Amino acid sequence: MVGFPNVGKSTLVNRLAGGREAVVHSEAGVTRDRKRVRCEWNGREFDLLDTGGIDLEDESEMAADIQRQARLGMEEADAIVLVADGRSGLRSGDTDMARQLRASPVPVVVAVNKADRAVDQYGAAEFHALGLGEPFPVSATHGMGTGDLLDRIVDALGDRPPRIEDDGAVRVAVIGRPNVGKSSL
Ligand SMILES: Nc1nc2c(ncn2[C@@H]2O[C@H](COP(=O)(O)OP(=O)(O)OP(=O)(O)O)[C@@H](O)[C@H]2O)c(=O)[nH]1
Ligand SMILES: [Mg+2]
């Protein structure tokens, strides 16, 4: 889950995970954690990774740290949900992120949040302009549209094995200068 600050990513993660706030794993970030929540839909289990809001125009050190954390999250993701705020409408912050995500090697789904009333879903149409396919209107607080979004996420994950298998095993990286014998070891 990535997106501009305050669009409702954390609320949406908790809603999609059934409101359980089931924190499975929490990696300490420099200034912000990437929060991982286990989720299940139609018999398919996957982890949702909440990230800090990205404002590419914010040049503060704090923002840079959050962006670094979010980027690490995107690197290990099998699908990316770009969350936007339907109430504020399409903003340059959304467009900036979408431009980068159009080059993503994994599927990207656009969720237009804060569509609390049925009439709000029409507002999602302008997010077609992001060039990332059909935008999904959702309301994280009311639960509207979340089933369709989950269908799309599961569809995007497909049958491919996860890029990073979470089997609970501890991983050890063998690193060193060239030719010291890493492979032989
Ligand atoms: N009306 C409405 N408000 C929402 C909805 N989802 C989230 N909010 C509100 O939006 C604000 C931000 O929600 P968060 O979930 O913290 O947003 P975030 O994207 O995780 O924010 P950062 O992590 O700071 O980038 C809160 O006041 C939420 O209550 C929604 O579907 N409808
Ligand atoms: Mg958040």
Side-chain angles (χ1 to χ4, degrees):
M1 290 285 168
V2 298
F4 200 69
N6 215 44
V7 296
K9 297 175 295 298
S10 302
T11 314
L12 188 56
V13 164
N14 289 332
R15 165 66 67 173
L16 296 184
R20 291 187 304 266
E21 289 194 61
V23 181
V24 168
H25 192 217
S26 185
E27 291 155 284
V30 188
T31 55
R32 263 306 180 110
D33 287 359
R34 305 198 299 280
K35 195 175 84 174
R36 199 181 294 270
V37 182
R38 183 42 65 106
C39 189
E40 190 261 315
W41 186 249
N42 285 342
R44 180 78 147 88
E45 276 198 68
F46 53 94
D47 285 344
L48 286 171
L49 192 62
D50 187 19
T51 65
I54 297 181
D55 180 356
L56 292 170
E57 284 185 357
D58 187 343
E59 286 167 355
S60 69
E61 204 146 305
M62 170 87 163
D65 279 335
I66 293 173
Q67 285 179 29
R68 206 171 304 126
Q69 287 291 322
R71 242 173 268 285
L72 287 171
M74 285 188 266
E75 274 168 27
E76 64 181 71
D78 297 293
I80 294 172
V81 180
L82 173 60
V83 188
D85 184 336
R87 280 201 177 170
S88 58
L90 187 60
R91 290 181 287 193
S92 59
D94 305 320
T95 316
D96 292 345
M97 278 205 74
R99 193 176 304 119
Q100 299 192 355
L101 287 175
R102 282 201 292 272
S104 164
V106 296
V108 180
V109 180
V110 176
V112 181
N113 192 33
K114 308 194 186 181
D116 299 339
R117 299 161 306 159
V119 65
D120 293 330
Q121 40 187 305
Y122 303 112
E126 68 168 324
F127 290 84
H128 267 115
L130 294 177
L132 290 167
E134 178 86 20
F136 284 76
V138 290
S139 169
T141 50
H142 295 202
M144 210 216 58
T146 49
D148 286 345
L149 177 61
L150 282 163
D151 281 345
R152 177 69 189 97
I153 292 171
V154 166
D155 189 49
L157 292 174
D159 296 327
R160 286 171 298 117
R163 289 214 287 187
I164 294 180
E165 192 85 52
D166 184 14
D167 53 6
V170 173
R171 287 182 181 74
V172 177
V174 179
I175 61 170
R177 293 186 35 92
N179 212 42
V180 293
K182 295 180 294 300
S183 303
S184 310
L185 181 59

